[in-house]
Amino acid sequence: MKTFLFRSVIYPLIIVAFLASGAFANSKGTQISVTPQEVDQGNCFVVTLFSPKQVSSAYIEVFDRTVKMFTYSYKWRGIVGVSLYDDPGKYKLIVTLNYSDGTKQDF
């Protein structure tokens, strides 16, 4: 039986959103961060959100996909996987918040 060693070159995929430094905060106290900022194909990244206003649901839109966020430790989080088939480059990331009072906001 022959064993093959697969070696691949993975190009870094850079997630560019509203986050020049990896974190965003607006005047109303909403904070959003993305870690890590540079992601290799086949890996994932985490979007973390804190809002002083009551959020009923939150979604991430990136790579023509929508990812529903979940709450953990008083913060909303979303884990986004980067497919091996996604081309390396810069991508727009949109976070949508649906507030308990029926309003909606995109970042």
Side-chain angles (χ1 to χ4, degrees):
M1 175 187 262
K2 255 187 175 176
T3 306
F4 294 95
L5 177 64
F6 290 93
R7 293 180 137 195
S8 64
V9 176
I10 299 178
Y11 299 97
L13 187 69
I14 301 174
I15 304 302
V16 172
F18 40 81
L19 310 168
S21 65
F24 167 82
N26 71 4
S27 61
K28 299 187 189 221
T30 301
Q31 301 170 355
I32 301 172
S33 65
V34 176
T35 51
Q37 279 193 291
E38 292 189 19
V39 184
D40 292 334
Q41 293 158 299
N43 288 328
C44 63
F45 62 94
V46 177
V47 178
T48 304
L49 159 75
F50 171 78
S51 176
K53 195 172 174 183
Q54 183 70 32
V55 176
S56 60
S57 63
Y59 298 89
I60 302 164
E61 293 177 46
V62 66
F63 309 123
D64 298 325
R65 297 189 290 272
T66 301
V67 176
K68 186 173 181 178
M69 298 179 78
F70 58 93
T71 56
Y72 176 75
S73 187
Y74 304 105
K75 293 183 182 178
W76 286 86
R77 299 173 197 271
I79 301 172
V80 180
V82 181
S83 171
L84 290 172
Y85 300 107
D86 289 329
D87 292 328
K90 295 181 180 187
Y91 289 85
K92 185 176 182 179
L93 182 143
I94 300 171
V95 177
T96 302
L97 304 180
N98 296 311
Y99 295 108
S100 297
D101 62 6
T103 59
K104 178 179 173 181
Q105 187 173 17
D106 289 337
F107 293 94

XYZ file of all heavy atoms in Angstrom:
852
model
N 0.840 -1.166 0.000
C 0.000 0.000 0.000
C 0.885 1.228 0.000
O 1.816 1.327 0.775
C -0.898 -0.026 1.240
C -1.724 1.221 1.392
S -2.608 1.280 2.945
C -4.181 0.727 2.429
N 0.566 2.177 -0.887
C 1.320 3.423 -0.974
C 0.640 4.503 -0.162
O -0.573 4.591 -0.131
C 1.379 3.883 -2.424
C 2.690 3.656 -3.057
C 2.704 4.284 -4.405
C 4.094 4.128 -4.938
N 4.257 4.597 -6.256
N 1.432 5.312 0.482
C 0.912 6.442 1.238
C 1.308 7.714 0.518
O 2.452 7.869 0.115
C 1.495 6.469 2.658
O 1.258 5.206 3.265
C 0.885 7.558 3.488
N 0.343 8.602 0.358
C 0.604 9.862 -0.314
C 0.558 11.003 0.688
O -0.312 11.042 1.550
C -0.446 10.129 -1.401
C -0.381 9.145 -2.519
C -1.202 8.025 -2.518
C 0.512 9.306 -3.553
C -1.142 7.108 -3.543
C 0.578 8.390 -4.573
C -0.247 7.288 -4.575
N 1.494 11.882 0.571
C 1.516 13.073 1.400
C 0.973 14.218 0.564
O 1.494 14.521 -0.501
C 2.948 13.388 1.848
C 3.136 14.649 2.669
C 2.395 14.531 3.995
C 4.610 14.877 2.916
N -0.111 14.807 1.028
C -0.711 15.923 0.309
C -0.170 17.228 0.874
O -0.250 17.463 2.066
C -2.232 15.896 0.441
C -2.857 14.777 -0.298
C -3.123 13.576 0.332
C -3.148 14.891 -1.635
C -3.690 12.523 -0.342
C -3.721 13.860 -2.316
C -3.997 12.668 -1.681
N 0.362 18.024 0.014
C 0.832 19.340 0.421
C 0.053 20.359 -0.390
O -0.086 20.202 -1.586
C 2.320 19.517 0.140
C 3.172 18.632 0.970
C 4.593 18.864 0.653
N 5.301 18.895 1.913
C 6.510 19.339 2.065
N 7.172 19.804 1.063
N 7.077 19.323 3.243
N -0.432 21.335 0.265
C -1.167 22.357 -0.461
C -0.709 23.729 -0.003
O -0.290 23.920 1.122
C -2.668 22.214 -0.232
O -2.972 22.443 1.121
N -0.800 24.643 -0.916
C -0.502 26.028 -0.595
C -1.839 26.704 -0.381
O -2.689 26.704 -1.244
C 0.259 26.706 -1.746
C 0.487 28.161 -1.444
C 1.562 25.987 -1.995
N -2.036 27.224 0.790
C -3.289 27.895 1.104
C -3.021 29.395 1.157
O -2.174 29.855 1.906
C -3.854 27.408 2.447
C -4.126 25.910 2.357
C -5.101 28.168 2.811
C -4.635 25.310 3.624
N -3.746 30.108 0.329
C -3.589 31.553 0.286
C -4.460 32.195 1.359
O -5.585 31.782 1.554
C -4.005 32.083 -1.088
C -3.171 31.512 -2.196
C -3.606 30.423 -2.928
C -1.926 32.044 -2.476
C -2.831 29.890 -3.938
C -1.140 31.508 -3.482
C -1.599 30.438 -4.212
O -0.823 29.907 -5.205
N -3.937 33.179 2.038
C -4.762 33.802 3.078
C -5.956 34.520 2.467
O -5.877 35.106 1.414
C -3.821 34.784 3.755
C -2.619 34.861 2.925
C -2.619 33.729 1.959
N -7.050 34.419 3.155
C -8.291 35.070 2.752
C -8.533 36.181 3.759
O -8.575 35.937 4.953
C -9.408 34.042 2.816
C -10.751 34.404 2.298
C -10.675 34.532 0.778
C -11.722 33.312 2.650
N -8.664 37.382 3.289
C -8.792 38.518 4.196
C -10.251 38.949 4.254
O -10.863 39.199 3.238
C -7.909 39.692 3.742
C -6.446 39.246 3.700
C -8.085 40.885 4.659
C -5.514 40.259 3.139
N -10.777 39.007 5.452
C -12.144 39.447 5.650
C -12.118 40.944 5.901
O -11.559 41.410 6.879
C -12.783 38.748 6.866
C -12.697 37.243 6.716
C -14.213 39.206 7.069
C -13.357 36.700 5.484
N -12.708 41.692 4.982
C -12.760 43.133 5.144
C -14.213 43.514 5.295
O -15.027 43.221 4.457
C -12.163 43.863 3.933
C -12.393 45.346 4.033
C -10.694 43.568 3.837
N -14.512 44.123 6.382
C -15.877 44.567 6.610
C -15.802 46.042 6.913
O -15.122 46.776 6.220
C -16.454 43.779 7.774
N -16.450 46.417 7.932
C -16.437 47.759 8.463
C -15.297 47.863 9.457
O -15.160 48.832 10.155
C -17.764 48.008 9.173
C -18.194 46.800 9.943
C -17.673 46.531 11.185
C -19.068 45.894 9.375
C -18.028 45.388 11.862
C -19.433 44.749 10.067
C -18.913 44.503 11.306
N -14.470 46.846 9.550
C -13.494 46.731 10.621
C -12.076 46.924 10.116
O -11.469 46.014 9.611
C -13.605 45.338 11.241
C -15.014 44.912 11.615
C -15.030 43.442 11.937
C -15.502 45.715 12.763
N -11.565 48.092 10.252
C -10.193 48.322 9.826
C -9.213 47.737 10.828
O -8.151 47.268 10.461
C -9.950 49.817 9.660
N -9.571 47.759 12.106
C -8.648 47.277 13.127
C -9.140 46.015 13.817
O -8.571 45.606 14.811
C -8.445 48.372 14.172
O -9.668 48.594 14.842
N -10.213 45.393 13.310
C -10.717 44.181 13.932
C -11.850 44.428 14.896
O -12.443 43.502 15.401
N -12.174 45.701 15.157
C -13.258 46.010 16.077
C -14.003 47.241 15.601
O -13.447 48.100 14.926
C -12.708 46.238 17.477
N -15.270 47.296 15.959
C -16.129 48.410 15.568
C -17.013 48.764 16.752
O -17.507 47.875 17.439
C -17.004 47.996 14.376
C -18.129 48.948 14.099
C -17.900 50.092 13.373
C -19.399 48.698 14.582
C -18.934 50.976 13.115
C -20.444 49.572 14.330
C -20.211 50.716 13.592
N -17.201 50.030 16.981
C -18.140 50.480 18.022
C -18.831 51.730 17.493
O -18.191 52.590 16.893
C -17.407 50.792 19.313
N -20.153 51.813 17.690
C -20.854 53.014 17.260
C -21.227 53.856 18.473
O -20.989 53.472 19.615
C -22.073 52.680 16.395
C -23.215 52.045 17.164
O -23.155 51.903 18.375
N -24.249 51.656 16.461
N -21.826 55.013 18.231
C -22.128 55.956 19.310
C -23.201 55.435 20.264
O -23.321 55.925 21.375
C -22.564 57.297 18.713
O -23.740 57.108 17.937
N -23.980 54.441 19.859
C -25.031 53.896 20.715
C -24.537 52.732 21.565
O -25.302 52.095 22.255
C -26.216 53.479 19.862
C -26.788 54.660 19.120
C -28.051 54.332 18.417
C -28.387 55.510 17.557
N -29.688 55.922 17.466
N -23.243 52.402 21.481
C -22.673 51.376 22.336
C -22.584 49.984 21.745
O -22.133 49.064 22.406
N -22.996 49.799 20.488
C -22.881 48.490 19.851
C -21.426 48.233 19.485
O -20.774 49.085 18.884
C -23.765 48.413 18.589
O -25.124 48.658 18.969
C -23.659 47.066 17.925
N -20.918 47.070 19.873
C -19.526 46.708 19.595
C -19.499 45.413 18.796
O -20.163 44.445 19.157
C -18.758 46.519 20.897
C -18.749 47.741 21.770
C -18.189 47.440 23.151
O -17.891 46.311 23.494
N -18.053 48.478 23.960
N -18.699 45.388 17.729
C -18.562 44.197 16.886
C -17.079 43.950 16.654
O -16.326 44.883 16.372
C -19.278 44.377 15.539
C -20.760 44.660 15.756
C -19.095 43.150 14.664
C -21.515 45.041 14.508
N -16.671 42.690 16.775
C -15.272 42.342 16.484
C -15.223 41.074 15.641
O -16.127 40.239 15.699
C -14.469 42.158 17.769
O -14.961 41.055 18.494
N -14.164 40.953 14.853
C -13.921 39.772 14.018
C -12.540 39.245 14.347
O -11.566 39.997 14.315
C -13.997 40.113 12.512
C -13.657 38.900 11.669
C -15.370 40.645 12.147
N -12.444 37.947 14.689
C -11.146 37.351 14.991
C -11.035 35.981 14.333
O -11.998 35.228 14.378
C -10.939 37.180 16.507
O -12.062 36.504 17.053
C -10.764 38.501 17.194
N -9.935 35.647 13.757
C -8.852 36.536 13.349
C -9.271 37.337 12.125
O -10.251 37.010 11.468
C -7.725 35.573 13.008
C -8.406 34.350 12.514
C -9.677 34.256 13.317
N -8.520 38.368 11.799
C -8.840 39.200 10.643
C -8.414 38.549 9.337
O -9.044 38.743 8.321
C -8.185 40.560 10.761
C -8.972 41.486 11.648
C -8.485 42.894 11.502
O -7.386 43.197 11.926
N -9.288 43.724 10.893
N -7.324 37.821 9.341
C -6.890 37.086 8.153
C -7.171 35.615 8.378
O -6.760 35.042 9.371
C -5.404 37.316 7.888
C -5.092 38.724 7.458
C -3.661 38.882 6.992
O -3.022 37.864 6.655
O -3.195 40.018 6.961
N -7.887 35.022 7.429
C -8.344 33.649 7.579
C -7.893 32.842 6.365
O -8.057 33.278 5.240
C -9.883 33.602 7.679
C -10.349 32.187 7.927
C -10.388 34.524 8.755
N -7.346 31.670 6.612
C -6.972 30.767 5.520
C -8.200 29.997 5.062
O -9.115 29.724 5.839
C -5.910 29.757 5.979
C -4.583 30.424 6.272
O -4.302 31.478 5.700
O -3.826 29.857 7.085
N -8.196 29.632 3.793
C -9.269 28.788 3.280
C -9.299 27.492 4.072
O -8.270 26.928 4.412
C -9.046 28.509 1.800
C -9.184 29.750 0.942
C -8.462 29.597 -0.367
O -7.255 29.418 -0.390
N -9.207 29.659 -1.448
N -10.500 27.024 4.389
C -10.646 25.806 5.166
C -10.726 26.046 6.661
O -10.984 25.130 7.425
N -10.525 27.284 7.098
C -10.616 27.629 8.516
C -11.883 28.434 8.780
O -12.703 28.615 7.892
C -9.383 28.413 8.961
C -8.161 27.541 9.033
O -8.253 26.359 9.333
N -6.999 28.105 8.756
N -12.023 28.931 9.980
C -13.201 29.721 10.309
C -12.786 30.970 11.087
O -11.656 31.092 11.533
C -14.205 28.903 11.104
S -13.603 28.344 12.698
N -13.749 31.897 11.206
C -13.536 33.085 12.024
C -14.793 33.327 12.851
O -15.861 32.802 12.554
C -13.173 34.312 11.172
C -14.223 34.741 10.196
C -15.148 35.724 10.526
C -14.281 34.186 8.927
C -16.106 36.129 9.625
C -15.231 34.586 8.008
C -16.149 35.565 8.358
N -14.635 34.119 13.912
C -15.727 34.374 14.836
C -16.060 35.865 14.814
O -15.171 36.711 14.920
C -15.354 33.952 16.276
C -16.477 34.298 17.252
C -15.026 32.475 16.328
N -17.343 36.169 14.679
C -17.840 37.538 14.796
C -18.526 37.629 16.151
O -19.392 36.815 16.467
C -18.835 37.878 13.668
C -19.377 39.288 13.843
C -18.172 37.721 12.306
N -18.112 38.595 16.975
C -18.680 38.787 18.313
C -19.359 40.148 18.367
O -18.807 41.135 17.877
C -17.573 38.714 19.389
O -16.883 37.474 19.257
C -18.144 38.818 20.780
N -20.541 40.175 18.972
C -21.356 41.382 18.996
C -21.874 41.636 20.401
O -22.337 40.713 21.076
C -22.543 41.201 18.039
C -23.768 42.071 18.215
C -23.471 43.470 17.709
C -24.938 41.487 17.480
N -21.766 42.887 20.847
C -22.400 43.307 22.092
C -23.244 44.529 21.785
O -22.780 45.462 21.131
C -21.372 43.662 23.172
C -22.007 44.302 24.368
C -22.669 43.532 25.307
C -21.991 45.673 24.517
C -23.287 44.120 26.392
C -22.599 46.281 25.598
C -23.253 45.502 26.542
N -24.490 44.521 22.240
C -25.378 45.666 22.062
C -26.096 45.947 23.369
O -26.661 45.030 23.973
C -26.406 45.381 20.961
O -27.316 46.457 20.856
N -26.088 47.220 23.815
C -26.820 47.551 25.036
C -28.335 47.473 24.822
O -29.091 47.308 25.762
C -26.368 48.980 25.348
C -25.886 49.526 24.060
C -25.377 48.365 23.271
N -28.761 47.563 23.566
C -30.173 47.462 23.227
C -30.543 45.990 23.073
O -29.723 45.186 22.619
C -30.412 48.221 21.915
C -31.847 48.508 21.612
C -31.932 49.416 20.395
C -33.365 49.601 19.970
N -33.458 50.420 18.764
N -31.759 45.603 23.448
C -32.211 44.202 23.402
C -32.276 43.709 21.952
O -33.058 44.210 21.157
C -33.581 44.085 24.069
C -34.113 42.685 24.156
C -33.343 41.829 25.155
O -32.851 42.318 26.138
N -33.268 40.564 24.888
N -31.468 42.709 21.616
C -31.430 42.118 20.272
C -32.208 40.803 20.296
O -31.976 39.954 21.156
C -29.972 41.861 19.827
C -29.919 41.169 18.477
C -29.187 43.155 19.800
N -33.142 40.636 19.354
C -33.912 39.390 19.306
C -33.260 38.359 18.391
O -33.372 37.159 18.614
C -35.349 39.654 18.864
O -35.374 40.235 17.585
N -32.571 38.805 17.340
C -31.826 37.890 16.467
C -30.767 38.681 15.711
O -30.880 39.891 15.537
C -32.758 37.169 15.484
O -33.381 38.096 14.622
N -29.723 37.973 15.263
C -28.633 38.612 14.530
C -28.123 37.647 13.467
O -28.104 36.429 13.669
C -27.506 38.996 15.483
N -27.721 38.212 12.319
C -27.252 37.419 11.187
C -25.998 38.023 10.590
O -25.799 39.230 10.637
C -28.324 37.353 10.092
C -29.596 36.689 10.550
C -30.620 37.416 11.138
C -29.766 35.325 10.413
C -31.781 36.809 11.575
C -30.921 34.697 10.847
C -31.923 35.451 11.423
O -33.061 34.832 11.851
N -25.160 37.155 10.004
C -23.958 37.578 9.294
C -24.151 37.195 7.833
O -24.543 36.068 7.535
C -22.709 36.859 9.834
C -22.534 37.116 11.321
C -21.464 37.262 9.050
C -21.575 36.154 11.989
N -23.866 38.126 6.929
C -23.910 37.832 5.505
C -22.506 38.001 4.934
O -21.918 39.068 5.025
C -24.878 38.765 4.788
C -26.323 38.552 5.182
C -27.247 39.539 4.510
O -27.109 39.737 3.287
O -28.078 40.111 5.216
N -21.979 36.910 4.367
C -20.656 36.933 3.746
C -20.552 35.721 2.822
O -21.193 34.697 3.062
C -19.534 36.936 4.822
C -19.509 35.654 5.615
C -18.171 37.228 4.225
N -19.785 35.812 1.758
C -19.597 34.730 0.779
C -20.927 34.263 0.188
O -21.132 33.080 -0.062
C -18.902 33.501 1.395
C -17.643 33.784 2.139
C -17.511 33.409 3.463
C -16.579 34.421 1.533
C -16.343 33.651 4.163
C -15.414 34.668 2.218
C -15.294 34.285 3.529
N -21.866 35.166 -0.015
C -23.199 34.810 -0.534
C -23.912 33.808 0.366
O -24.711 32.999 -0.100
C -23.111 34.275 -1.966
C -22.565 35.304 -2.935
O -22.872 36.505 -2.742
O -21.830 34.931 -3.854
N -23.609 33.836 1.656
C -24.256 32.958 2.634
C -24.726 33.802 3.816
O -24.187 34.866 4.087
C -23.283 31.894 3.144
C -22.787 30.933 2.102
C -22.010 29.782 2.728
N -20.725 30.124 3.286
C -19.586 30.144 2.612
N -19.572 29.894 1.332
N -18.444 30.409 3.223
N -25.717 33.282 4.518
C -26.202 33.924 5.742
C -25.985 32.967 6.903
O -26.355 31.800 6.832
C -27.698 34.268 5.620
O -27.879 35.134 4.497
C -28.192 34.957 6.872
N -25.362 33.465 7.966
C -25.074 32.670 9.156
C -25.828 33.289 10.331
O -25.693 34.488 10.604
C -23.558 32.652 9.458
C -23.267 31.910 10.750
C -22.790 32.061 8.294
N -26.628 32.485 11.010
C -27.362 32.973 12.180
C -26.424 33.004 13.381
O -25.681 32.062 13.637
C -28.548 32.063 12.473
C -29.428 32.587 13.561
C -30.683 31.778 13.728
C -31.528 32.386 14.823
N -32.767 31.682 15.012
N -26.477 34.096 14.138
C -25.650 34.240 15.330
C -26.381 33.654 16.533
O -27.598 33.506 16.520
C -25.297 35.713 15.553
C -24.473 36.304 14.416
S -24.060 38.049 14.644
C -22.718 37.914 15.836
N -25.633 33.319 17.584
C -26.199 32.739 18.801
C -25.669 33.520 19.997
O -24.662 34.224 19.906
C -25.827 31.251 18.919
C -24.350 31.004 18.923
C -23.646 30.932 20.112
C -23.654 30.842 17.728
C -22.276 30.707 20.125
C -22.283 30.614 17.724
C -21.596 30.555 18.926
N -26.365 33.411 21.130
C -25.899 34.118 22.325
C -25.070 33.176 23.199
O -25.372 31.996 23.338
C -27.077 34.669 23.159
O -27.947 33.603 23.485
C -27.821 35.736 22.416
N -24.020 33.754 23.745
C -23.151 33.025 24.669
C -22.485 34.065 25.557
O -21.862 35.010 25.045
C -22.105 32.204 23.909
C -21.116 31.517 24.815
C -21.479 30.397 25.548
C -19.832 32.015 24.955
C -20.576 29.771 26.398
C -18.929 31.390 25.802
C -19.305 30.279 26.516
O -18.418 29.671 27.359
N -22.604 33.907 26.842
C -21.966 34.790 27.815
C -22.322 36.265 27.565
O -21.446 37.120 27.506
C -20.448 34.579 27.779
O -19.822 35.288 28.801
N -23.624 36.538 27.381
C -24.165 37.881 27.211
C -23.737 38.580 25.925
O -23.892 39.781 25.786
C -23.834 38.780 28.414
C -24.298 38.209 29.707
C -23.397 37.639 30.596
C -25.648 38.197 30.038
C -23.831 37.089 31.798
C -26.084 37.647 31.233
C -25.172 37.097 32.106
O -25.599 36.555 33.281
N -23.176 37.842 24.992
C -22.782 38.414 23.702
C -23.320 37.527 22.586
O -23.505 36.329 22.763
C -21.255 38.519 23.589
C -20.650 39.506 24.543
C -19.162 39.605 24.338
C -18.560 40.576 25.344
N -17.121 40.678 25.213
N -23.545 38.133 21.440
C -23.938 37.380 20.247
C -22.672 36.980 19.516
O -21.730 37.770 19.371
C -24.813 38.255 19.346
C -26.190 38.441 19.884
C -26.594 39.382 20.785
C -27.334 37.654 19.579
N -27.926 39.221 21.057
C -28.411 38.177 20.323
C -27.564 36.560 18.748
C -29.693 37.644 20.258
C -28.838 36.041 18.678
C -29.884 36.572 19.428
N -22.644 35.738 19.028
C -21.466 35.238 18.313
C -21.906 34.463 17.076
O -22.958 33.830 17.081
C -20.637 34.321 19.209
C -20.123 35.014 20.449
C -19.445 34.042 21.396
N -19.308 34.594 22.718
C -18.288 35.311 23.127
N -17.308 35.576 22.320
N -18.247 35.774 24.368
N -21.088 34.525 16.067
C -21.326 33.750 14.863
C -20.015 33.152 14.387
O -18.983 33.830 14.379
N -20.060 31.896 14.032
C -18.862 31.210 13.529
C -19.060 30.984 12.046
O -20.029 30.347 11.627
C -18.639 29.876 14.260
C -18.486 30.123 15.759
C -17.418 29.153 13.687
C -18.453 28.866 16.593
N -18.134 31.513 11.258
C -18.249 31.441 9.794
C -17.095 30.616 9.253
O -15.931 30.926 9.506
C -18.232 32.851 9.169
C -18.358 32.760 7.657
C -19.323 33.722 9.764
N -17.424 29.573 8.529
C -16.408 28.748 7.885
C -16.067 29.295 6.513
O -16.931 29.809 5.802
N -14.801 29.199 6.158
C -14.332 29.654 4.847
C -14.078 28.422 3.998
O -13.214 27.603 4.320
C -13.048 30.504 4.976
C -12.591 30.982 3.614
C -13.277 31.668 5.918
N -14.835 28.281 2.938
C -14.727 27.120 2.066
C -13.383 27.110 1.325
O -12.805 28.156 1.028
C -15.862 27.135 1.037
O -15.665 26.140 0.071
N -12.928 25.927 1.026
C -11.719 25.800 0.203
C -11.953 26.317 -1.208
O -11.023 26.621 -1.934
C -11.279 24.335 0.144
C -10.719 23.777 1.447
C -10.500 22.273 1.316
C -9.430 24.458 1.828
N -13.222 26.419 -1.587
C -13.571 26.873 -2.932
C -13.756 28.378 -3.033
O -13.924 28.905 -4.123
C -14.842 26.165 -3.416
C -14.673 24.671 -3.469
C -15.291 23.858 -2.539
C -13.863 24.086 -4.432
C -15.114 22.482 -2.575
C -13.671 22.718 -4.467
C -14.307 21.923 -3.548
O -14.128 20.566 -3.573
N -13.746 29.087 -1.898
C -13.827 30.546 -1.936
C -12.485 31.102 -2.393
O -11.431 30.710 -1.900
C -14.165 31.120 -0.548
C -15.592 30.836 -0.135
O -16.457 30.748 -1.019
O -15.835 30.693 1.074
N -12.550 32.009 -3.341
C -11.320 32.601 -3.865
C -10.679 33.517 -2.830
O -11.384 34.201 -2.081
C -11.616 33.413 -5.127
C -12.029 32.539 -6.296
O -11.543 31.393 -6.375
O -12.840 33.007 -7.122
N -9.343 33.540 -2.777
C -8.663 34.474 -1.875
C -9.003 35.903 -2.269
O -9.222 36.206 -3.430
C -7.182 34.190 -2.109
C -7.131 32.839 -2.728
C -8.402 32.689 -3.497
N -9.076 36.782 -1.298
C -9.365 38.180 -1.586
C -10.079 38.847 -0.439
O -10.154 38.322 0.660
N -10.616 40.022 -0.732
C -11.335 40.805 0.268
C -12.827 40.620 0.032
O -13.287 40.640 -1.106
C -10.959 42.270 0.165
C -9.502 42.511 0.507
C -9.156 43.973 0.416
C -7.689 44.170 0.761
N -7.333 45.585 0.843
N -13.563 40.455 1.124
C -15.001 40.224 1.052
C -15.735 41.175 1.982
O -15.244 41.510 3.055
C -15.340 38.780 1.448
C -14.913 37.770 0.433
C -13.618 37.271 0.441
C -15.781 37.330 -0.535
C -13.214 36.344 -0.493
C -15.389 36.402 -1.475
C -14.096 35.912 -1.453
O -13.697 35.005 -2.386
N -16.921 41.569 1.571
C -17.771 42.420 2.396
C -18.520 41.556 3.397
O -19.066 40.513 3.049
C -18.756 43.168 1.501
C -19.597 44.168 2.221
C -20.455 44.917 1.226
C -21.285 45.973 1.923
N -22.108 46.714 0.951
N -18.548 41.986 4.638
C -19.236 41.273 5.707
C -20.298 42.212 6.278
O -19.995 43.343 6.618
C -18.222 40.879 6.783
C -18.746 40.090 7.971
C -17.699 39.075 8.386
C -19.097 40.976 9.118
N -21.540 41.747 6.337
C -22.639 42.555 6.863
C -23.224 41.850 8.073
O -23.524 40.661 8.019
C -23.735 42.755 5.801
C -23.175 43.474 4.574
C -24.918 43.532 6.389
C -24.121 43.515 3.405
N -23.380 42.594 9.175
C -24.039 42.078 10.377
C -25.388 42.772 10.482
O -25.462 43.998 10.482
C -23.199 42.334 11.646
C -23.938 41.868 12.883
C -21.851 41.634 11.540
N -26.457 41.976 10.546
C -27.816 42.504 10.662
C -28.358 42.200 12.052
O -28.325 41.047 12.483
C -28.737 41.875 9.601
O -28.199 42.144 8.301
C -30.140 42.433 9.698
N -28.842 43.244 12.735
C -29.427 43.087 14.059
C -30.930 43.334 13.974
O -31.363 44.324 13.398
C -28.828 44.095 15.038
C -27.321 44.105 15.199
C -26.908 45.166 16.197
C -26.836 42.752 15.627
N -31.707 42.444 14.547
C -33.147 42.620 14.693
C -33.402 42.856 16.173
O -33.146 41.978 16.994
C -33.901 41.383 14.202
C -33.700 41.154 12.725
O -33.860 42.075 11.936
N -33.323 39.954 12.349
N -33.877 44.058 16.490
C -34.109 44.423 17.880
C -35.489 43.969 18.347
O -36.400 43.767 17.546
C -33.962 45.936 18.060
C -32.559 46.434 17.805
C -32.262 47.166 16.661
C -31.533 46.172 18.703
C -30.975 47.624 16.425
C -30.245 46.626 18.472
C -29.979 47.348 17.324
O -28.707 47.801 17.096
N -35.638 43.840 19.644
C -36.894 43.392 20.244
C -38.050 44.353 19.984
O -39.207 43.951 19.980
C -36.725 43.197 21.749
O -35.774 42.182 21.977
N -37.740 45.630 19.741
C -38.803 46.610 19.485
C -39.261 46.600 18.025
O -40.063 47.422 17.609
C -38.368 48.013 19.902
C -37.170 48.520 19.129
O -36.717 47.854 18.169
O -36.683 49.630 19.471
N -38.726 45.666 17.210
C -39.143 45.524 15.816
C -38.272 46.266 14.820
O -38.459 46.125 13.608
N -37.295 47.041 15.275
C -36.407 47.745 14.358
C -35.261 46.842 13.923
O -34.984 45.808 14.538
C -35.846 49.037 15.002
O -35.130 48.677 16.192
C -36.954 50.024 15.327
N -34.602 47.241 12.849
C -33.526 46.447 12.257
C -32.372 47.386 11.923
O -32.600 48.538 11.555
C -34.080 45.790 10.993
C -33.126 44.963 10.218
C -33.854 44.380 9.005
C -32.908 43.688 8.093
N -33.568 43.137 6.925
N -31.144 46.896 12.048
C -29.969 47.709 11.742
C -28.895 46.840 11.118
O -28.646 45.724 11.571
C -29.450 48.383 13.012
C -28.353 49.376 12.777
C -27.983 50.127 14.032
O -28.301 49.724 15.148
N -27.277 51.223 13.863
N -28.260 47.358 10.059
C -27.141 46.675 9.386
C -25.842 47.397 9.684
O -25.796 48.620 9.753
C -27.351 46.638 7.878
C -28.463 45.700 7.445
O -28.777 44.777 8.206
O -29.008 45.900 6.352
N -24.792 46.615 9.862
C -23.436 47.162 10.030
C -22.554 46.580 8.949
O -22.670 45.452 8.582
C -22.850 46.776 11.402
C -23.571 47.409 12.553
C -24.597 46.739 13.190
C -23.220 48.670 12.996
C -25.261 47.308 14.256
C -23.875 49.242 14.065
C -24.906 48.561 14.697
